[in-house]
Amino acid sequence: SQQGEEDPQALSIQEGENATMNCSYKTSINNLQWYRQNSGRGLVHLILIRSNEREKHSGRLRVTLDTSKKSSSLLITASRAADTASYFCATGKTSGSRLTFGEGTQLTVNP
Amino acid sequence: DGGITQSPKYLFRKEGQNVTLSCEQNLNHDAMYWYRQDPGQGLRLIYYSQIVNDFQKGDIAEGYSVSREKKESFPLTVTSAQKNPTAFYLCASSENGRQPQHFGDGTRLSIL
């Protein structure tokens, strides 16, 4: 299985609810990043958390990282219909410059 | 505004034909990347370049070739050796390997 696996594969919620997506990985990392992709578009970087950080916030986004469990979560609070998109985690290894992406979570926020 | 431009947005390839996808960035980034995305899937790395005149194979380089003659440009050629080229191709750049990647809006390649 791949480095960076998201869970769940698909999530459907109502506007105003919170959305939580999880990511697991297998090897040591330097950083973990979350990206968003609207249908048919490129990815947009949301947030980067380094291996020595445990939690990071950006607006309505909260990311946690647990290196002992090799897992991360992305929480979107007070979701909006415009948050409907696919969300990907990507891991950067300790050495090297490449990222490894997971297969993504498709989030649908119903108005 | 700085960004990454991919062209064309849609591209059709005939059997036995090579096609080249363009990727240009004006962000002054050293590193550039090419990914392939199949429907409902994540991104798989084809090639990446950390500096001009140097590039490395990613996980699925077979049937593809690249060049990096200028810092701003990283074209991808899909050769006739790539038997299943139908996919969404995304180009990205980053300041260096440890920074977030900025993406273009992709090229969708189909077979005629």
Side-chain angles (χ1 to χ4, degrees):
Chain A
S1 53
Q2 294 185 18
Q3 176 92 333
E5 296 184 1
E6 288 91 342
D7 169 52
Q9 288 188 326
L11 180 61
S12 182
I13 60 174
Q14 295 300 122
E15 219 167 16
E17 294 180 339
N18 294 342
T20 299
M21 288 159 269
N22 303 297
C23 171
S24 61
Y25 58 92
K26 296 185 184 303
T27 62
S28 297
I29 63 170
N30 170 272
N31 66 79
L32 186 144
Q33 302 178 32
W34 285 92
Y35 289 81
R36 165 195 169 123
Q37 183 181 34
N38 286 74
S39 182
R41 303 294 300 274
L43 277 69
V44 175
H45 178 260
L46 295 176
I47 199 163
L48 180 153
I49 187 165
R50 302 197 188 281
S51 58
N52 60 353
E53 297 175 310
R54 291 296 167 259
E55 187 171 311
K56 212 162 181 181
H57 296 254
S58 176
R60 293 185 296 113
L61 305 180
R62 173 179 169 251
V63 169
T64 62
L65 178 64
D66 187 335
T67 53
S68 67
K69 295 182 180 177
K70 291 186 168 60
S71 68
S72 172
S73 67
L74 170 66
L75 168 68
I76 303 174
T77 60
S79 63
R80 306 165 182 169
D83 294 328
T84 294
S86 293
Y87 292 82
F88 295 90
C89 71
T91 51
K93 292 186 178 180
T94 305
S95 62
S97 69
R98 50 177 293 176
L99 293 178
T100 301
F101 285 82
E103 297 196 354
T105 293
Q106 171 62 50
L107 173 66
T108 302
V109 182
N110 301 298
Chain B
D1 284 338
I4 297 184
T5 302
Q6 289 189 241
S7 62
K9 192 171 177 65
Y10 300 95
L11 187 58
F12 298 91
R13 195 192 88 169
K14 295 179 182 178
E15 291 289 337
Q17 186 182 44
N18 293 352
V19 291
T20 297
L21 284 60
S22 170
C23 178
E24 303 278 331
Q25 55 101 355
N26 61 4
L27 298 166
N28 200 33
H29 285 170
D30 284 318
M32 296 188 74
Y33 309 83
W34 273 107
Y35 296 93
R36 170 180 171 139
Q37 186 177 33
D38 292 283
Q41 303 285 316
L43 277 63
R44 291 185 291 169
L45 183 64
I46 305 172
Y47 269 98
Y48 64 107
S49 168
Q50 298 182 71
I51 198 167
V52 175
N53 292 323
D54 186 47
F55 49 82
Q56 291 81 39
K57 292 182 179 179
D59 298 320
I60 54 165
E62 186 174 350
Y64 301 97
S65 66
V66 294
S67 63
R68 185 86 189 276
E69 297 176 0
K70 298 187 300 182
K71 188 175 186 177
E72 309 80 44
S73 179
F74 192 40
L76 173 74
T77 296
V78 183
T79 74
S80 57
Q82 173 49 247
K83 298 306 179 188
N84 183 23
T86 297
F88 190 48
Y89 290 87
L90 287 161
C91 179
S93 72
S94 68
E95 190 176 327
N96 58 53
R98 301 292 177 91
Q99 296 302 316
Q101 295 184 10
H102 298 251
F103 283 80
D105 266 343
T107 292
R108 192 166 299 279
L109 176 62
S110 303
I111 297 297
L112 283 177

